[in-house]
Amino acid sequence: MQKKVWIGFIVLVALASPLYGQTTKTQWVDSVFNTLDQDAKIGQVLMIRADSYADEQAIEKTAAQIKRFNIGGIVFTKGGPVSQVKLTNYFQQQADIPLLIGMNAESGLGLDSTLQFPTPMMLGSIQDDSLMFFLGSEIGKQLKRLGVHINFGPTSDLNIPAHEKTGSNPIYHYGEDQNRVAAKVAAYQQGIKSEGILSIAKKSPDYGLVVKNVQIENQADPNLNTLFTVDPNRAFPLTQLVKDGADGVLTTYEPGMIFSDESRVYSTPSEVISRAMPLLYSGGSIKHQLKFNGLVFSFVPTIQLKKKLLPTEPEIMALKSGSDVLLFPQNVGGTVRKLRKVIRKDKVLQKQLDESVKKILATKYDAGLYKRNTVATDDVPFQIIKPAVTALQTALYEKSVTVVKNDQNVLPLQQLDSKMFASVSIGTNVGNTFTTYLSKYAPFTHYTLQAGDDIDVLSKNLSPYNYIIVGIFQHAPSLENVYREFLQQLVKTSTVIVVMMDAPSKLAQLDNMPVIIEAYTDLQVIQQFVPQIIFGGAKADGSLPVTVSENIKLSAGFQTSGLGRLSYSTAELEGLDSKTMSKVAQVAQEAIDQKSAPGCQVLIARHGKIIYDKCFGFQTYENKSPITDQTIYDLASVSKVMGTLQVVMFLQEKGLIDINKKVSVYLPELLTTNKKDIIVKDVLTHQSGLAPFLMMWPQTVKGDTLLPHYYSPVRDENYPLQVAPGLYASTAIQDSVWHWLLKSDMLPKPARTPYTTRYSDLGFMIMHRLVERIINQPMQEFLNQNLYEPLGSGTVGYLPLNRFPATQLAPTEIDTLYRKTTVVGTVHDERAAMLGGVAGHAGLFGNASDLMKIAQMLLQKGSYGGQTYYKPETVELFAQKQFENSSRGLGWAKPGDSSSPSSRIESPKTFGHTGFTGTCVWMDPEFDVVFVFLSNSRFPNRSAKLNTTNIRSRIQDTIYQSIFIYCQYGENEPDHKLMEYLRKSIN
């Protein structure tokens, strides 16, 4: 007891020595070393396992081992970040000599509530090695925040080439090309070390270390330190890591691998006699042949032989082979006693132990353990999972995706109209994230292949489709024989794109497929990203790191191009502060809670990347049908700009109309009315003098009775126009509406003065008649053919009940006056309903995602998905302010327009529109932002709360505030360099 107190006192003095002028590492190491007896030295070479979620009994057992045996270090294997920090502080308090804390965090901390980064195989497919540096750096930062000193990584092993594999379950590292792997692990190591964390290269001795030309079985006592020789090719990555300053090497063994001599291959370690077991712990060989002076760690539990060993025998073998640190001894007390006995009889081993302990102490000094530090426990999760970390994780996964085959340059898919799309999910159910994101780009029919399904029937059902996207998930191995035959049938009739969301080895049986994407995993981030590659929202540039078959070899990978379609990103990557953006959900939820709307969709994009896509609430206040990204809303007056105006822009660009001419030039029937002199431009800017509103439906009823001249409860050739479910109108009502419009009064004004701006629906009702007169077809057909279908905006259009079930449509009102029913799927505006659901001012339906595509096309000045819809000058003309005394563009609302309230801090270049039903779309070219908000705020009784609470404009304000706050970060922000690099790398 007195001896332990004396040791503790000397160590304490040594710990404080920098305060008294003894500042050199050597002084500290020597002063601590001289306090250690033999058992304490042995304790220093041991690192034991710890679990921060362990029960109190297990924790106290570990603490007792630390105190009793002077344990050198702890390796945390699982738990949570906060609990680990607390336990680290506790264990450090128990140790006479501060503990080295280690983690196997090569692909992330692996703790609860922390992010996991891609596997080495996925990282091996990334062509940008700078991302490996940033990965190492970020993991280093996280480890430092937890008080960890050692990271056991990176793995320096090469994959065995396909023709040398002996088992059916290959182990995947970073790849099989020595130069490519060496560059990646070196960049990773630099990143780790840049944060002051010790980088320990992992090496399986049977993988790059070859038995010399001896017969092991006949050797009485082989020289264990020289029995191995380094294969310069397979050990090349390790050699580079050592040259670049690896702090240590961890020798371990992974089941299923091989090691060899010059004449024989051992397929399992059980073939090796116990005398040769230290070969698996080749510390001496590594030190001698690679001139390595760092620490060699041995992972004791990997020794598994048919010949049963005593509990402490593996540790003895590991030490004899030249290892400095023994990880996870099976019996700590027994190991100390047995090693003490062995070392007492072996002076060489005693010398080696002393050298190892001094190296360990020197490492502790370098880690700052010459002084006691307590790791702060506050704000740990936030500091570990920052937006930059999430962005890095996403970028790494996305950059790994590899287009292995792309016959006839099928990818990315450009033409969407006149094509039929289907997906097949193998190994999971439909409705997964992969199929959800496919549907964001084009109308899809989704199928699944399960065990027992009839592939002939499924193939027949799929035969009409032009493109079939087949997703093979990680739970599909049992279906391998089935889906191989199934795919062979599909390629006979359709273009098939196979997405393998599993290990590359699975590609061997698919190598005759024309288009193959290797995605490596079916994690959600991958399921979201692959559809973006398929449709040109994002690029693919991964490169296969291994050879799979004769047709799929190392470095296979096609770089696909983007088509300018929307893709998905994070707030910070697009220059917005995510913390500020979280207020969007608060405002949207406020709308639900205050009954401003039963539900809503919010979609926000910047730089062509969707950074916010969320649904809130339900279709009604009964809370039965939740809002989804496929919910379709009545867009109300947004129809003016996303419907009628799009045709006007087309006609103006083609020279078929002139906005500076009178409307009567194109509609001669106006010549005999008070509207004969109105100009197209004035109509589009709402300053033509038309009455702001004209209620027409009362003229079609008498009392509470709908006039039979206009209405019927049954649809037939005389009453073809659906006003509401169970209510149909005759074509005569269209003539009456047009007649009433022509006879309507103009607004009063002084003579020889222009009309001021006065918002009116009547102008776009006139424009509807005008454009149909020129295009000579129904406006809805023209828009479907020339805009909505080519864009992939399948839900946008008129008369949605002809294409979608009523359950997908949000109801807009319980109409107690005119239609006397719940209005759902038919247009809310009465005048548009009288016209059969297609009007110039209302009638358009759609979901937020499909409306966003049209908006993004306009923000991109008329181009989207590799197609040009308008010339840039056309979009710019219509979007700009037209008159000094008016804030409006041509059709578009602009900042300051009281009829379409918007953010007070948007740029003057912003253009967009709002809708009476609680909708809006705004595009800001200055900030490269699109904002879409859809709701049915007028349900059930035309409540105006959404307007009075300014929900839409407050969300829009939040977008700009998040941009401004992000800009304040500046170059002094710790993650600024990383974020800037990721932004350039991804874009």
Side-chain angles (χ1 to χ4, degrees):
M1 178 68 181
Q2 290 180 341
K3 184 176 181 181
K4 287 197 68 176
V5 172
W6 177 242
I7 291 174
F9 173 74
I10 294 178
V11 171
L12 183 62
V13 172
L15 290 171
S17 64
L19 301 176
Y20 294 93
Q22 291 179 293
T23 59
T24 67
K25 183 196 301 188
T26 301
Q27 287 175 316
W28 187 85
V29 169
D30 289 343
S31 62
V32 176
F33 179 82
N34 291 333
T35 67
L36 303 179
D37 61 16
Q38 190 76 329
D39 283 4
K41 291 177 183 178
I42 295 171
Q44 283 298 293
V45 304
L46 304 180
M47 292 187 76
I48 60 177
R49 189 196 312 261
D51 171 5
S52 63
Y53 282 171
D55 58 33
E56 185 176 350
Q57 183 178 0
I59 290 173
E60 291 306 317
K61 178 181 177 181
T62 301
Q65 289 177 331
I66 291 170
K67 296 175 75 171
R68 180 180 176 185
F69 299 111
N70 249 297
I71 296 297
I74 295 290
V75 179
F76 282 98
T77 56
K78 57 183 177 179
V82 176
S83 59
Q84 179 170 313
V85 169
K86 291 179 179 178
L87 206 54
T88 294
N89 290 333
Y90 175 66
F91 286 153
Q92 291 288 21
Q93 292 170 3
Q94 310 308 308
D96 290 330
I97 301 172
L99 300 162
L100 277 174
I101 307 297
M103 290 185 72
N104 183 20
E106 183 169 4
S107 295
L109 300 181
L111 301 176
D112 294 345
S113 74
T114 62
L115 296 179
Q116 194 72 4
F117 294 101
T119 61
M121 175 56 61
M122 296 186 75
L123 296 172
S125 68
I126 299 173
Q127 301 204 63
D128 183 359
D129 290 341
S130 295
L131 290 174
M132 294 295 295
F133 172 85
F134 284 114
L135 172 61
S137 175
E138 183 52 49
I139 291 176
K141 290 175 183 176
Q142 295 183 15
L143 292 172
K144 183 188 294 185
R145 181 61 188 85
L146 297 184
V148 176
H149 314 106
I150 293 173
N151 179 38
F152 293 105
T155 299
S156 63
D157 293 322
L158 295 175
N159 276 93
I160 301 176
H163 66 279
E164 295 183 23
K165 291 174 184 174
T166 59
S168 59
N169 297 309
I171 294 174
Y172 286 116
H173 298 302
Y174 291 94
E176 64 188 50
D177 181 86
Q178 61 176 11
N179 294 301
R180 184 167 160 179
V181 172
K184 291 188 181 301
V185 296
Y188 177 94
Q189 177 174 274
Q190 290 171 11
I192 285 285
K193 291 175 68 67
S194 71
E195 297 300 326
I197 300 298
L198 302 180
S199 177
I200 311 301
K202 289 187 285 192
K203 185 77 190 110
S204 299
D206 48 307
Y207 229 10
L209 295 170
V210 180
V211 181
K212 284 187 175 180
N213 193 15
V214 294
Q215 292 297 317
I216 299 174
E217 292 86 348
N218 298 328
Q219 296 296 306
D221 189 16
N223 185 337
L224 301 176
N225 287 344
T226 60
L227 193 56
F228 268 150
T229 183
V230 175
D231 181 327
N233 294 319
R234 291 187 180 174
F236 181 72
L238 177 62
T239 304
Q240 292 302 111
L241 289 175
V242 169
K243 287 182 179 179
D244 290 344
D247 299 291
V249 175
L250 168 60
T251 62
T252 184
Y253 172 78
E254 297 187 34
M257 291 192 175
I258 63 169
F259 67 95
S260 65
D261 60 29
E262 294 181 1
S263 60
R264 180 179 176 189
V265 174
Y266 296 90
S267 61
T268 65
S270 60
E271 294 181 35
V272 186
I273 60 173
S274 61
R275 187 186 300 276
M277 179 49 60
L279 299 179
L280 294 177
Y281 295 93
S282 51
S285 297
I286 290 173
K287 292 176 182 178
H288 175 71
Q289 297 180 46
L290 299 184
K291 310 300 181 188
F292 180 62
N293 297 318
L295 292 172
V296 174
F297 296 74
S298 285
F299 189 59
V300 172
T302 57
I303 303 180
Q304 293 177 358
L305 289 179
K306 287 183 179 178
K307 181 178 176 62
K308 191 172 183 180
L309 299 176
L310 295 174
T312 59
E313 195 169 352
E315 290 88 333
I316 296 170
M317 292 178 175
L319 197 65
K320 281 186 174 183
S321 72
S323 299
D324 298 300
V325 182
L326 310 182
L327 300 181
F328 305 167
Q330 299 176 53
N331 182 325
V332 175
T335 296
V336 172
R337 291 189 295 272
K338 186 68 175 180
L339 289 180
R340 181 203 309 147
K341 186 181 297 184
V342 172
I343 292 170
R344 186 183 301 138
K345 300 176 182 179
D346 190 334
K347 293 184 179 180
V348 174
L349 207 55
Q350 177 66 63
K351 181 181 178 183
Q352 178 189 316
L353 175 66
D354 290 348
E355 291 174 350
S356 294
V357 172
K358 287 188 176 182
K359 281 200 294 183
I360 292 167
L361 293 174
T363 299
K364 291 186 175 185
Y365 183 94
D366 292 338
L369 291 174
Y370 56 81
K371 56 183 177 181
R372 296 280 185 180
N373 288 312
T374 300
V375 186
T377 57
D378 59 303
D379 210 20
V380 173
F382 176 76
Q383 292 186 35
I384 290 178
I385 308 180
K386 297 178 293 183
V389 183
T390 303
L392 174 61
Q393 180 202 41
T394 301
L396 290 168
Y397 276 109
E398 292 179 354
K399 285 290 185 179
S400 71
V401 176
T402 306
V403 176
V404 176
K405 294 183 69 178
N406 191 22
D407 291 0
Q408 299 181 351
N409 293 318
V410 168
L411 298 178
L413 301 180
Q414 181 169 338
Q415 185 180 355
L416 305 183
D417 55 321
S418 71
K419 302 295 181 183
M420 293 179 63
F421 297 89
S423 78
V424 182
S425 296
I426 301 178
T428 192
N429 296 321
V430 295
N432 51 73
T433 301
F434 181 61
T435 57
T436 297
Y437 274 74
L438 286 173
S439 292
K440 290 179 182 292
Y441 286 95
F444 265 85
T445 304
H446 301 294
Y447 297 84
T448 183
L449 175 62
Q450 305 280 11
D453 287 350
D454 189 323
I455 62 172
D456 293 328
V457 172
L458 183 56
S459 299
K460 184 178 180 180
N461 291 337
L462 288 163
S463 60
Y465 292 92
N466 304 101
Y467 291 101
I468 302 173
I469 318 296
V470 179
I472 302 175
F473 291 74
Q474 288 184 305
H475 296 291
S478 61
L479 294 168
E480 285 181 13
N481 294 331
V482 175
Y483 67 64
R484 184 176 185 178
E485 179 184 350
F486 172 64
L487 293 173
Q488 295 296 332
Q489 293 187 31
L490 294 186
V491 295
K492 295 176 182 178
T493 59
S494 308
T495 298
V496 179
I497 299 168
V498 180
V499 181
M500 176 59 71
M501 289 179 271
D502 206 339
S505 59
K506 307 293 184 182
L507 296 177
Q509 58 186 330
L510 305 175
D511 60 3
N512 61 342
M513 288 291 108
V515 184
I516 301 174
I517 300 175
E518 173 56 56
Y520 304 95
T521 179
D522 59 8
L523 290 175
Q524 182 170 299
V525 63
I526 289 295
Q527 293 189 47
Q528 291 174 352
F529 184 65
V530 172
Q532 300 174 50
I533 290 176
I534 292 173
F535 287 98
K539 302 174 184 178
D541 56 9
S543 173
L544 204 63
V546 292
T547 294
V548 174
S549 67
E550 191 65 32
N551 295 326
I552 301 178
K553 296 185 177 182
L554 172 70
S555 299
F558 291 83
Q559 293 189 347
T560 62
S561 58
L563 294 175
R565 285 197 175 103
L566 285 158
S567 58
Y568 293 78
S569 185
T570 62
E572 269 74 14
L573 274 177
E574 306 311 322
L576 298 93
D577 176 60
S578 57
K579 188 174 182 181
T580 304
M581 283 295 294
S582 66
K583 297 178 182 177
V584 171
Q586 297 175 18
V587 178
Q589 191 58 47
E590 178 186 321
I592 311 301
D593 295 341
Q594 294 187 358
K595 297 190 180 303
S596 298
C600 63
Q601 295 180 30
V602 182
L603 204 58
I604 301 165
R606 191 173 193 213
H607 303 145
K609 308 289 182 69
I610 294 174
I611 51 91
Y612 196 94
D613 182 4
K614 290 189 178 180
C615 301
F616 301 87
F618 296 81
Q619 290 187 11
T620 70
Y621 289 110
E622 294 178 351
N623 296 353
K624 291 182 178 179
S625 300
I627 300 302
T628 73
D629 61 355
Q630 292 301 306
T631 301
I632 297 172
Y633 283 98
D634 183 336
L635 303 180
S637 284
V638 171
S639 305
K640 294 181 173 71
V641 293
M642 292 305 195
T644 310
L645 187 67
Q646 298 304 307
V647 188
V648 174
M649 291 169 62
F650 173 84
L651 297 176
Q652 171 69 18
E653 181 175 293
K654 300 300 182 183
L656 298 175
I657 65 170
D658 183 346
I659 61 172
N660 295 302
K661 290 184 177 180
K662 294 179 181 179
V663 177
S664 57
V665 172
Y666 310 103
L667 296 175
E669 58 264 44
L670 268 63
L671 290 172
T672 59
T673 72
N674 56 1
K675 299 168 183 62
K676 64 181 185 302
D677 293 324
I678 62 175
I679 296 171
V680 173
K681 183 175 182 179
D682 290 336
V683 172
L684 296 176
T685 54
H686 294 278
Q687 54 184 51
S688 62
L690 291 167
F693 185 75
L694 187 63
M695 187 177 292
M696 298 179 178
W697 71 266
Q699 299 183 64
T700 65
V701 302
K702 186 174 183 179
D704 290 335
T705 304
L706 298 171
L707 296 175
H709 172 65
Y710 291 118
Y711 302 104
S712 170
V714 179
R715 173 181 269 166
D716 57 29
E717 60 181 10
N718 295 318
Y719 296 90
L721 307 176
Q722 186 175 41
V723 178
L727 181 61
Y728 303 92
S730 69
T731 53
I733 203 170
Q734 294 178 324
D735 295 332
S736 295
V737 168
W738 182 241
H739 173 76
W740 296 328
L741 190 159
L742 293 181
K743 293 298 183 181
S744 64
D745 293 332
M746 300 291 286
L747 294 173
K749 71 174 181 67
R752 294 184 297 278
T753 61
Y755 284 105
T756 57
T757 302
R758 191 76 180 272
Y759 185 82
S760 172
D761 287 341
L762 303 187
F764 274 82
M765 294 175 73
I766 292 173
M767 293 309 298
H768 178 205
R769 177 69 65 112
L770 185 155
V771 300
E772 287 197 339
R773 183 74 56 85
I774 296 174
I775 62 178
N776 196 32
Q777 74 176 125
M779 182 175 70
Q780 67 269 28
E781 291 182 5
F782 180 88
L783 286 166
N784 286 339
Q785 295 167 4
N786 294 280
L787 188 63
Y788 304 149
E789 289 181 2
L791 281 170
S793 295
T795 64
V796 176
Y798 301 84
L799 310 175
L801 289 177
N802 293 346
R803 298 175 293 132
F804 302 100
T807 53
Q808 193 175 337
L809 301 157
T812 45
E813 183 188 10
I814 299 176
D815 185 355
T816 59
L817 297 177
Y818 172 37
R819 288 153 288 197
K820 298 180 180 179
T821 187
T822 298
V823 180
V824 53
T826 55
V827 62
H828 176 260
D829 181 90
E830 294 91 345
R831 292 155 301 174
M834 294 165 68
L835 293 170
V838 182
H841 67 293
L844 200 63
F845 285 73
N847 67 19
S849 177
D850 287 344
L851 187 62
M852 172 69 80
K853 295 171 189 174
I854 308 172
Q856 187 63 37
M857 177 271 292
L858 295 167
L859 195 65
Q860 293 172 182
K861 299 184 178 180
S863 295
Y864 188 87
Q867 298 186 48
T868 299
Y869 296 87
Y870 303 108
K871 296 177 181 178
E873 52 266 32
T874 301
V875 178
E876 292 171 346
L877 170 65
F878 278 74
Q880 67 189 12
K881 182 178 177 180
Q882 299 295 314
F883 299 104
E884 187 65 32
N885 62 346
S886 171
S887 63
R888 296 196 69 92
L890 291 170
W892 296 106
K894 300 280 289 177
D897 183 3
S898 59
S899 65
S900 291
S902 59
S903 172
R904 297 165 296 172
I905 50 180
E906 62 192 352
S907 83
K909 294 182 179 180
T910 301
F911 60 104
H913 216 284
T914 58
F916 181 78
T917 52
T919 61
C920 74
V921 56
W922 290 101
M923 295 141 282
D924 187 341
E926 184 77 21
F927 288 93
D928 202 2
V929 167
V930 181
F931 166 50
V932 174
F933 179 95
L934 301 184
S935 76
N936 54 339
S937 65
R938 301 293 175 169
F939 186 87
N941 53 11
R942 299 207 176 191
S943 166
K945 261 191 174 183
L946 191 75
N947 293 341
T948 57
T949 53
N950 296 316
I951 296 296
R952 290 171 287 187
S953 56
R954 285 166 57 198
I955 291 177
Q956 201 177 3
D957 283 343
T958 301
I959 299 170
Y960 290 100
Q961 289 164 1
S962 71
I963 294 173
F964 300 150
I965 290 174
Y966 182 86
C967 290
Q968 294 173 7
Y969 291 168
E971 295 185 3
N972 294 326
E973 174 68 16
D975 295 318
H976 176 82
K977 183 178 179 181
L978 170 59
M979 294 301 295
E980 287 301 308
Y981 187 85
L982 291 176
R983 189 174 294 117
K984 294 176 183 177
S985 173
I986 292 174
N987 294 330

